[in-house]
């Protein structure tokens, strides 16, 4: 079964503290300030994106031109970008909803964004997982800590979740 992997950039690929559980960071360009990423994380994201039946997409405030201007090892220069539109409140949920409405074949989604962190009064992860489930979409939502971004344990979990489904024969 096909899985769409939706990723944010700031505080996911580029940790806010410039400290990553993946180790060293390297400068890959600048967007208002130098952009530093952990090469091991970028390689892991490229590996995930290359798995059979996985389609990666960015859901970020970064303009596609800024993303494409990054030097290697920055991942996903050619990944699709889900367009953000002005919205009241957090714009990513309406953008994802609009994109999913235009892609009704999607039934499986992994979404990684630090802003899914479940700040009170409600958990965005729980709420959005339930909303996606009502649409018939099996969803895995991950909110890495902004200080460190995605870690090896997140990647391992994504690999397991994606692989678990791919290993099962089609009915």
């Amino acid at each position: 079964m096909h899985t769409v992997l939706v990723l944010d950039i700031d505080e996911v690929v580029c940790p806010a503290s410039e400290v990553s559980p993946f180790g060293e960071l390297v400068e890959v360009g600048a967007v208002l300030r130098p952009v530093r990423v952990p090469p091991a994380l970028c390689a892991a994201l490229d590996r995930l994106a290359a798995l059979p039946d996985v389609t990666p997409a960015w859901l970020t405030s970064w303009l596609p031109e800024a993303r494409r201007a990054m030097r290697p090892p920055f991942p996903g220069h050619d990944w699709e970008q889900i367009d953000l539109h002005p919205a009241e409140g957090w714009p990513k949920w309406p953008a994802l909803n609009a994109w999913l409405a235009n892609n009704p074949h999607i039934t499986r989604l992994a979404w990684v964004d630090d802003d899914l962190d479940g700040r009170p009064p409600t958990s965005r992860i729980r709420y959005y997982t339930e909303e996606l489930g009502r649409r018939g979409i099996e969803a895995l939502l991950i909110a890495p800590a902004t200080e460190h971004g995605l870690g090896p344990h997140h990647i391992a979990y994504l690999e397991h979740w994606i692989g678990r489904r791919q290993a099962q024969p089609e009915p």
Side-chain angles (χ1 to χ4, degrees), residues 94-107:
L96 183 62
N97 266 320
W99 185 78
L100 288 170
N102 290 325
N103 292 280
H105 62 281
I106 294 172
T107 59

Side-chain angles (χ1 to χ4, degrees), residues 114-127:
D114 62 303
D115 284 323
L116 292 169
D117 67 0
R119 290 183 205 134
T122 62
S123 168
R124 282 184 175 161
I125 287 179
R126 189 178 83 232
Y127 176 77

Side-chain angles (χ1 to χ4, degrees), residues 21-117:
F22 274 99
E24 74 166 318
L25 280 81
V26 298
E27 188 172 320
V28 293
V31 175
L32 302 178
R33 65 183 192 294
V35 175
R36 296 174 44 84
V37 298
L41 169 60
C42 295
L45 291 173
D46 282 335
R47 280 192 309 275
L48 277 173
L51 288 173
D53 293 329
V54 171
T55 299
W58 294 112
L59 180 51
T60 178
S61 60
W62 282 38
L63 295 175
E65 297 79 23
R67 192 186 71 249
R68 289 185 193 112
M70 296 295 112
R71 295 183 298 273
F74 192 87
H77 289 92
D78 60 347
W79 296 351
E80 180 176 358
Q81 176 131 352
I82 298 170
D83 293 326
L84 289 176
H85 303 285
E88 213 170 292
W90 193 49
K92 290 185 181 178
W93 178 244
L96 183 62
N97 266 320
W99 185 78
L100 288 170
N102 290 325
N103 292 280
H105 62 281
I106 294 172
T107 59
R108 199 152 192 271
L109 176 89
W111 182 12
V112 183
D113 193 309
D114 62 303
D115 284 323
L116 292 169
D117 67 0

